[in-house]
Amino acid sequence: MEYGQLGRTGLKVSKLCLGTMNFGPHTTEEDSFAIMDRAHELGINFFDTANVYGWKMGEGVTEQIVGRWFAQGGGRREKTVIATKLYGSMGEWPNDNLLSSLNIRRACDASLKRMQTDYIDVYQAHHIDRNTPFEEFWEAMEVLRTQGKILYVGSSNFAGWHIAKAQETARRRNFLGLVSEQSKYHLLQRSVELEVLPACQDYGLGVIPWSPLAGGLLGGVLRKIEKGRTATPDQQAEIERLRPQLEQYEAFCDELGEDPANVGLAWLLHQPAVTAPIIGPRTAGQLDGTTRALEIELDEKSLARLDEIFPGPGGTAPEAYAW
């Protein structure tokens, strides 16, 4: 396993981040335990979750599974850099969601209890809350850090200007500010290259791409269908819309002699500011093959070919659209 710093911090995390969103809804607790154990065997020390995962209002199903895994001991908690998120609704009352100081306090305590730990390594805002000023957000996070309940703060689904505003507010308060940003980023969705990635580079945030394989579209979906794998009606429509690009992509991966999923992950690891794509295996077996992505070196010619198949926005703002 390879490790890197999370943004500008001294925290070392694996270059692949284990996503846990399937734990509960799609993966049994027993299988979830096996995946997390296998992740440690492979050297993956960076896990991501969220209080809403499990999708049962207020239950935090996935965090509970992670907590019961931690409770088995064996150094599981100590070896794990755990990142979780808050924002989504955990109840029916008005202050059971978003980023008010009240919800930040309650949500953090609830996540700590569910995960059976006394601290969270990276506490992330799952989305921007346009009605809560960053002064309030940072005051609440500062209290949690002083209490020892969190170590670092991250964001998810922030625009570039949100990151800038958050960082400048933190600077005025002499606080470290955001250290990471989770963005939807893959070969088919590259809009974050315009402003989010440049903001992260400038402010020293590590980028943690979610949905790195576009919901499976970049994982060799055409060959899987040929082998009899079924797709939902929505997926089928998306596959047909993108078929020319996907055909070129899978043919290019064949030229490289690599699995399409690993090429998609490797491409992300070649992008500036990216720390670790989030992988979401449903079985331990699916996890094993992903480490190959760390070994794939894409030269300039290969990167240019991928740009031809999946064109990006054409640079960063404002040059990408101004001239």
Side-chain angles (χ1 to χ4, degrees):
M1 181 51 59
E2 297 178 15
Y3 301 89
Q5 311 298 124
L6 181 60
R8 67 193 184 284
T9 75
L11 185 66
K12 292 183 179 180
V13 296
S14 51
K15 299 293 285 183
L16 294 174
C17 177
L18 179 68
T20 64
M21 190 169 66
N22 288 323
F23 296 178
H26 303 292
T27 304
T28 66
E29 183 162 320
E30 181 181 1
D31 288 343
S32 299
F33 284 11
I35 290 170
M36 290 186 280
D37 282 335
R38 183 58 181 157
H40 273 186
E41 290 172 5
L42 294 171
I44 296 173
N45 74 332
F46 193 19
F47 294 8
D48 176 72
T49 190
N51 60 357
V52 294
Y53 288 173
W55 314 116
K56 291 184 178 180
M57 176 75 79
E59 293 189 25
V61 172
T62 303
E63 284 188 334
Q64 289 191 46
I65 291 173
V66 172
R68 288 189 287 271
W69 181 74
F70 282 155
Q72 294 179 94
R76 286 176 171 83
R77 176 64 186 98
E78 293 77 9
K79 294 176 183 176
T80 303
V81 174
I82 189 68
T84 193
K85 300 183 283 290
L86 81 151
Y87 175 89
S89 293
M90 294 296 286
E92 301 290 347
W93 285 79
N95 292 305
D96 289 341
N97 60 3
L98 306 180
L99 301 178
S100 69
S101 181
L102 176 59
N103 189 50
I104 288 174
R105 175 180 175 175
R106 287 175 173 172
C108 181
D109 286 344
S111 287
L112 290 171
K113 183 177 181 180
R114 283 190 291 267
M115 293 195 293
Q116 303 189 48
T117 183
D118 57 1
Y119 71 99
I120 294 164
D121 295 282
V122 186
Y123 200 36
Q124 305 161 112
H126 211 159
H127 197 279
I128 187 69
D129 180 358
R130 295 177 175 86
N131 294 318
T132 299
F134 277 112
E135 288 81 3
E136 178 180 351
F137 174 80
W138 285 125
E139 182 179 52
M141 291 298 183
E142 288 164 17
V143 169
L144 293 180
R145 193 174 186 201
T146 300
Q147 292 173 335
K149 294 179 179 179
I150 67 171
L151 301 183
Y152 301 96
V153 181
S155 60
S156 181
N157 305 307
F158 276 30
W161 73 273
H162 295 141
I163 292 169
K165 192 170 183 180
Q167 296 304 76
E168 293 305 319
T169 305
R171 191 198 303 272
R172 291 194 298 272
R173 301 178 65 89
N174 295 314
F175 195 66
L176 182 63
L178 300 172
V179 303
S180 62
E181 159 61 21
Q182 275 194 41
S183 288
K184 187 176 186 179
Y185 186 30
H186 49 70
L187 278 163
L188 287 163
Q189 175 52 267
R190 298 178 58 177
S191 58
V192 292
E193 294 174 4
L194 281 169
E195 300 199 24
V196 174
L197 262 61
C200 289
Q201 285 181 277
D202 192 71
Y203 283 106
L205 277 66
V207 176
I208 311 168
W210 62 268
S211 189
L213 300 179
L217 292 174
L218 296 170
V221 67
L222 297 182
R223 61 189 66 182
K224 290 176 181 177
I225 290 176
E226 289 174 0
K227 293 179 180 179
R229 183 79 62 87
T230 59
T232 66
D234 287 344
Q235 288 174 321
Q236 290 173 355
E238 192 70 356
I239 290 167
E240 291 310 310
R241 184 179 73 83
L242 297 167
R243 181 173 287 277
Q245 288 173 286
L246 294 176
E247 288 176 347
Q248 292 179 66
Y249 175 63
E250 294 190 16
F252 178 63
C253 292
D254 287 339
E255 291 176 23
L256 294 176
E258 300 289 352
D259 183 87
N262 290 334
V263 173
L265 293 173
W267 177 82
L268 281 170
L269 289 166
H270 281 71
Q271 304 311 306
V274 169
T275 295
I278 299 174
I279 53 174
R282 295 191 182 188
T283 66
Q286 289 179 347
L287 179 61
D288 284 351
T290 58
T291 56
R292 171 60 188 160
L294 302 172
E295 303 170 4
I296 299 175
E297 291 291 336
L298 298 173
D299 58 23
E300 291 186 9
K301 184 177 179 181
S302 295
L303 292 170
R305 177 61 181 137
L306 289 169
D307 281 339
E308 289 176 5
I309 300 172
F310 302 110
T316 58
E319 290 82 357
Y321 51 77
W323 60 73

